[in-house]
């Protein structure tokens, strides 16, 4: 099977969930119009990233499923595509907050990943992920979700690959180096799988994000990339 994938690059506005979701929806709609069957968005794309504490995070966290996932589920159903959304999640039972990625398909939510390797200020508001590293079976193939620092380590991507992942959807708020990052390329090559990389760009609370959204093929070739600005990178997944 060959299909088109799209990696969305986006600069969210901190705390502006409603306008961020609206802008992301427009980008996802555009990607679907361009023929994409699998569409990724950046880490924490619905809210921004640099929360100081739980008091700030509580104003924007949501349950999964919830209003944000419903917005993208409607698009996925209407467009017959799969969408990966990065968002802050609150667990309905424990009340804990997580930095999460949710895979949504035409029939609704396929699965959720909670980031296992927190970075910078995340421990001030988010718990480490407790769902492991899953691979989700879809008509497009076996899809894994990883968030930013998860891919920094050999082991997390390898766990997904050993479960047969065809595609790793890596959503990130990567910073501090020129991108596409060597880590991204290495994980694709080491595990003989595609890496669809959605990174944010721009400046938030003095933190500079790198952009460099791209699609990386199993041999490490960067098939397409976007340096800065909101936009979409398209590529073929075979």
């Amino acid at each position: 099977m060959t299909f088109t994938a799209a990696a969305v690059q986006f600069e969210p506005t901190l705390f502006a969930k409603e306008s961020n979701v609206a802008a992301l929806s427009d980008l996802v709609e555009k990607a679907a119009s361009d023929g994409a069957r699998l569409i990724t968005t950046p880490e924490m794309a619905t809210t921004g990233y640099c929360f100081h504490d739980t008091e700030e995070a509580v104003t924007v966290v949501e349950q999964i499923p919830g209003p944000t996932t419903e917005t993208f589920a409607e698009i996925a159903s209407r467009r017959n595509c799969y969408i990966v959304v990065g968002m802050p999640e609150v667990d309905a039972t424990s009340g804990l907050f997580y930095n999460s990625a949710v895979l949504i398909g035409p029939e609704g939510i396929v699965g959720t990943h909670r980031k296992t390797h927190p970075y910078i200020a995340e421990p001030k508001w988010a718990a480490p992920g407790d769902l492991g590293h899953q691979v989700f079976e879809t008509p497009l193939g076996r899809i894994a979700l990883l968030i930013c620092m998860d891919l920094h380590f050999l082991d997390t991507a390898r766990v997904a690959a050993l479960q047969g992942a065809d595609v790793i959807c890596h959503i990130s708020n990567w910073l501090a180096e020129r991108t596409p990052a060597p880590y991204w390329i290495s994980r694709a090559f080491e595990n003989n799988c595609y890496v669809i990389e959605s990174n944010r760009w721009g400046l938030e609370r003095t933190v500079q994000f790198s952009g460099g959204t791209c699609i990386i093929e199993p041999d490490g070739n960067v098939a397409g990339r976007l340096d800065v600005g909101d936009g979409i990178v398209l590529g073929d997944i075979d």
Side-chain angles (χ1 to χ4, degrees), residues 134-197:
Q134 306 168 77
V135 174
F136 303 105
E137 293 279 351
T138 77
L140 300 180
R142 294 176 295 272
I143 297 173
L145 309 179
L146 294 178
I147 303 175
C148 207
M149 280 293 288
D150 291 343
L151 197 78
H152 185 95
F153 301 96
L154 295 169
D155 309 73
T156 46
R158 193 62 182 154
V159 166
L162 289 172
Q163 295 178 71
D166 301 305
V167 179
I168 293 174
C169 294
H170 182 237
I171 69 172
S172 62
N173 281 187
W174 205 269
L175 50 90
E177 68 179 334
R178 187 73 172 174
T179 48
Y183 295 98
W184 307 348
I185 298 167
S186 295
R187 298 300 94 86
F189 182 78
E190 291 159 357
N191 296 297
N192 192 37
C193 66
Y194 287 86
V195 171
I196 303 175
E197 168 63 45

Side-chain angles (χ1 to χ4, degrees), residues 6-13 16-32 39-48 68-69 71-72 75 78 81 83-88 102 171-173 198-201 213 230-232:
V8 171
Q9 182 163 289
F10 179 62
E11 181 185 22
T13 299
K17 181 163 60 172
E18 184 175 344
S19 60
N20 290 334
V21 169
L24 281 170
S25 296
D26 289 344
L27 287 164
V28 168
E29 292 271 17
K30 174 65 167 59
I39 304 164
T40 59
T41 67
E43 175 186 14
M44 299 285 287
T46 63
T47 62
T68 292
T69 59
T71 295
F72 290 99
I75 299 173
R78 176 165 43 83
C81 65
I83 306 167
V84 179
V85 180
M87 58 181 287
V102 55
I171 69 172
S172 62
N173 281 187
S198 276
N199 193 29
R200 73 161 287 175
W201 70 285
T213 291
D230 291 357
I232 300 164

Side-chain angles (χ1 to χ4, degrees), residues 63 90-96 114:
Q63 293 180 27
V90 57
D91 185 277
T93 302
S94 69
L96 292 174
R114 293 169 171 172

